[in-house]
Amino acid sequence: MDTIQITLPDGAKQEVAQGTTPIEIARKISHGLAREALVARANGELLDLSRPLDHDASLAILTTKDADALQVFRHSAAHLLAAAVLELFPEVKLGIGPPIENGFFYEFLREQPFTLEDLEKIEKKMHELAARDLPNERKLLPKSEALELYRNWNQGFKCELVEEKAIEPMVSFYTTGKFIDFCRGPHIPSTGRIKAFKLMNVSGAYWKGQEGNPQLQRIYAACFFTQAELDGYLHRLEEAKRRDHRRLGQELDLFSIQDAAGPGLIFWHPKGGLIRKQMEDWLRDELLRRGYQLVYTPHIMLLDLWKTSGHANFYRENMFGPLEVEKADYQLKPMNCPGHILIYKSHLRSYRDLPYRLAELGTVYRYERSGVLHGLLRVRGFTQDDAHIFCMPSQIEDEVAACVDFAWAVMKTFGFSEYQVELSEWDPLHPENYAGSVDDWQHATQALANTLDRLKIPFKRMEAEAAFYGPKIDVKLIDAIGRPWQLTTVQFDFNLPARFDLEYVGEDGNRHRPLMVHRALWGSVERFFGILIEHYAGAFPLWLAPVQVAVLPVSGKFAEYAKEVAAELTAAGFRAYLDDRNEKLQAKIRDSEMQKVPYMTVVGGKEAEARTVSVRHHGKGDLGPRPLATFLADLRGEVDARATSSDSGN
Ligand SMILES: [Zn+2]
Ligand SMILES: [Zn+2]
């Protein structure tokens, strides 16, 4: 008998008979591995555990520790769903059922819509079929028989797929119970281990995603290896819903988007406006402290300027159309860069002026299709916390380091502790696709990498991910429920300095071209505000909270003292709200809790007499009575430290 050589991931080699299957090899390694095995990877290709191996191969047995195995597992779960649906609704026509992020879907043509009760029944049936541990069996059929099988079964969509996709003379099928699928596989051996799934919802989808085709019903499911992972996912979904900034924005009266004004345009209500002021005050102070100069540039500028910058060409589809005034075309600005460049160019700059850092909370307008707009996160008008740094090549490492340090200050100040960093590089095989010289790119990319290394910040290199005009680093912050948000960008630009012919007079008396860096920390005020609402679940830390203290008199009898307390708070610079409505104390406390006001002070007879307040914290509950002066000092300390609430989950 012929033998073949199998190389395992640890480098160990085994001689086995040709036709040995991965599961047999797994059993030889250990029973534990054979029990845990889901699928195999041979020479980089995923394979059923029962597929005979015909050639020498490097082989890995994949278990729940492997991300590829999860995709296969979810695909098998999609087959289980189809099998269950066929048991209950044998008349359905089958579409496709791939694994997706967090689960899978399968699509069906059926006249009546699937109801919630149907989903429950289907889920139950899936568990039944899973418990029977049905094997997922692979079969090969000649293409003609495959077509006949589906024709006889009246599965038109599947016929179409076989016609289009089956290229080999033999077509592979997988059966799970009564379900037979034209499918390349691979699959896990049987249904027994598919336990942690939940059918989430049904939505309409055109066959092959093309309008005009029949509309199928997609049943979406969440699916994981373990119940704990599924529970974790469902919990995060619930949390995300509870934290949705669009809902909280309305409940807390922070902002709105008005039909009368148009989509994607944000109205900041007084409470949102107050938070914005705190955010912007912090930012402006930091900018000045860190050597930036604050500027303002116009919202509309001549279209010709955008032709010089190139935006009128390569950025056109993201721009609002031009406006004609006195026979000249003007353009609503989609970016702040050309404005800052004009300020740079307004004087002849010398090396002594560099680095020249211009910062602007610059409002820009970009055309986004109405379908992709999303609350504060995706809008048509927004204010970037934008800055442009013009510097000499010798200065770039320090400048990049300063940008990263600033980004870290944002992270700390706004209560984030985890992050991911990516470095986007060019595609070294296609230098012709990029602006700037090979030298420019190598120097700038190296500066970004060196700086991150020097600061001991781990990062991921993203080859060929850079924009045509320069390499960049992106910082994503991880929020309170583990979601990454792209915020800070530090981006080199070799294009604009050339297009605008930027210069400085060097120490040698000659003209040189400065380097230009675009950088934004929050990205935009709107988007960052949306992220903060979700990160804090609307319970802003004291320094940001629009109302910091609610003063709640126990009854009308103590209105006078309550008024005094509120006045003292206001005089000390705090944002206090006196709730002197003729309501029960419990109702007032409930309303303040709903509004997520950080502190409540309850005042009654005892408090008035002793000149104290009974303090209640949103989240921590009752903190007991305190002299008013002590309370004021505590508040001052918390605001000055910009303490981020320890209970952002509330
Ligand atoms: Zn399949
Ligand atoms: Zn820019």
Side-chain angles (χ1 to χ4, degrees), residues 108-143:
F108 306 93
L109 182 70
R110 179 174 178 250
E111 240 160 74
Q112 303 96 309
F114 287 111
T115 61
L116 279 182
E117 290 73 48
D118 292 339
L119 291 193
E120 271 169 38
K121 268 189 231 152
I122 295 166
E123 208 175 276
K124 216 172 127 212
K125 181 59 82 182
M126 286 173 74
H127 281 294
E128 247 175 72
L129 297 180
R132 278 163 52 195
D133 201 16
L134 301 170
N136 290 317
E137 281 172 324
R138 182 170 183 268
K139 284 198 177 107
L140 290 173
L141 287 177
K143 185 170 174 179

Side-chain angles (χ1 to χ4, degrees), residues 33-186:
L33 180 63
R35 212 172 30 243
E36 293 294 311
L38 290 164
V39 65
R41 192 191 292 120
N43 295 333
E45 209 182 314
L46 294 175
L47 219 59
D48 292 330
L49 289 170
S50 58
R51 274 290 278 285
L53 297 163
D54 293 327
H55 305 283
D56 292 353
S58 58
L59 181 79
I61 305 293
L62 307 188
T63 65
T64 55
K65 291 187 185 77
D66 196 293
D68 282 346
L70 184 56
Q71 291 308 97
V72 173
F73 185 84
R74 286 174 174 156
H75 183 186
S76 297
H79 279 215
L80 178 64
L81 166 60
V85 169
L86 281 173
E87 294 257 346
L88 296 167
F89 310 95
E91 77 286 0
V92 294
K93 305 278 173 274
L94 302 162
I96 58 162
I100 53 173
E101 205 186 348
N102 301 313
F104 59 87
F105 70 77
Y106 212 104
E107 49 185 33
F108 306 93
L109 182 70
R110 179 174 178 250
E111 240 160 74
Q112 303 96 309
F114 287 111
T115 61
L116 279 182
E117 290 73 48
D118 292 339
L119 291 193
E120 271 169 38
K121 268 189 231 152
I122 295 166
E123 208 175 276
K124 216 172 127 212
K125 181 59 82 182
M126 286 173 74
H127 281 294
E128 247 175 72
L129 297 180
R132 278 163 52 195
D133 201 16
L134 301 170
N136 290 317
E137 281 172 324
R138 182 170 183 268
K139 284 198 177 107
L140 290 173
L141 287 177
K143 185 170 174 179
S144 57
E145 276 182 44
L147 281 172
E148 200 180 301
L149 182 147
Y150 274 140
R151 248 184 243 126
N152 291 341
W153 187 12
N154 205 6
Q155 292 289 353
F157 301 124
K158 290 291 188 190
C159 282
E160 218 179 303
L161 291 178
V162 174
E163 288 277 14
E164 280 169 19
K165 299 209 167 161
I167 26 173
E168 299 141 75
M170 298 298 271
V171 177
S172 82
F173 277 82
Y174 280 82
T175 61
T176 309
K178 289 178 188 164
F179 174 60
I180 308 174
D181 201 20
F182 164 55
C183 178
R184 290 206 347 242

Side-chain angles (χ1 to χ4, degrees), residues 579 581 586-596:
D579 188 351
R581 292 173 303 160
Q586 279 317 312
K588 293 185 191 179
I589 291 177
R590 200 189 53 232
D591 286 351
S592 280
E593 290 282 3
M594 296 284 286
Q595 286 298 305
K596 306 182 192 253

Side-chain angles (χ1 to χ4, degrees), residues 544-569:
L544 285 172
V547 176
Q548 295 172 309
V549 185
V551 182
L552 313 178
V554 172
S555 74
K557 269 202 334 213
F558 311 104
E560 209 44 49
Y561 179 58
K563 220 182 260 174
E564 252 179 74
V565 170
E568 279 208 41
L569 282 162

Side-chain angles (χ1 to χ4, degrees), residues 285-396:
D285 289 348
E286 280 294 309
L287 283 165
L288 293 174
R289 209 169 64 73
R290 290 167 185 264
Y292 287 83
Q293 311 188 71
L294 297 175
V295 297
Y296 298 86
T297 59
H299 286 214
I300 56 170
M301 291 174 257
L302 284 172
L303 181 61
D304 282 345
L305 178 69
W306 303 97
K307 288 180 181 160
T308 306
S309 71
H311 290 101
N313 179 24
F314 68 76
Y315 206 67
R316 177 174 230 118
E317 59 206 38
N318 299 90
M319 288 159 48
F320 280 76
L323 306 144
E324 205 203 285
V325 181
E326 292 180 351
K327 298 211 170 65
D329 281 335
Y330 285 81
Q331 176 62 49
L332 205 47
K333 74 171 166 184
M335 301 223 178
N336 302 302
C337 342
H340 293 186
I341 285 175
L342 292 187
I343 294 176
Y344 179 90
K345 269 180 81 97
S346 65
H347 288 79
L348 178 60
R349 306 289 170 187
S350 106
Y351 69 95
R352 265 174 268 130
D353 299 322
L354 305 184
Y356 191 66
R357 309 181 191 94
L358 296 182
E360 178 177 9
L361 283 157
T363 303
V364 298
Y365 296 89
R366 294 186 187 170
Y367 169 66
E368 299 263 17
R369 283 179 302 111
S370 45
V372 303
L373 298 172
H374 181 93
L376 293 167
L377 302 180
R378 195 93 180 250
V379 295
R380 284 183 175 165
F382 55 97
T383 302
Q384 292 182 300
D385 64 316
D386 209 354
H388 295 92
I389 300 166
F390 304 89
C391 66
M392 295 187 280
S394 60
Q395 295 168 325
I396 58 178

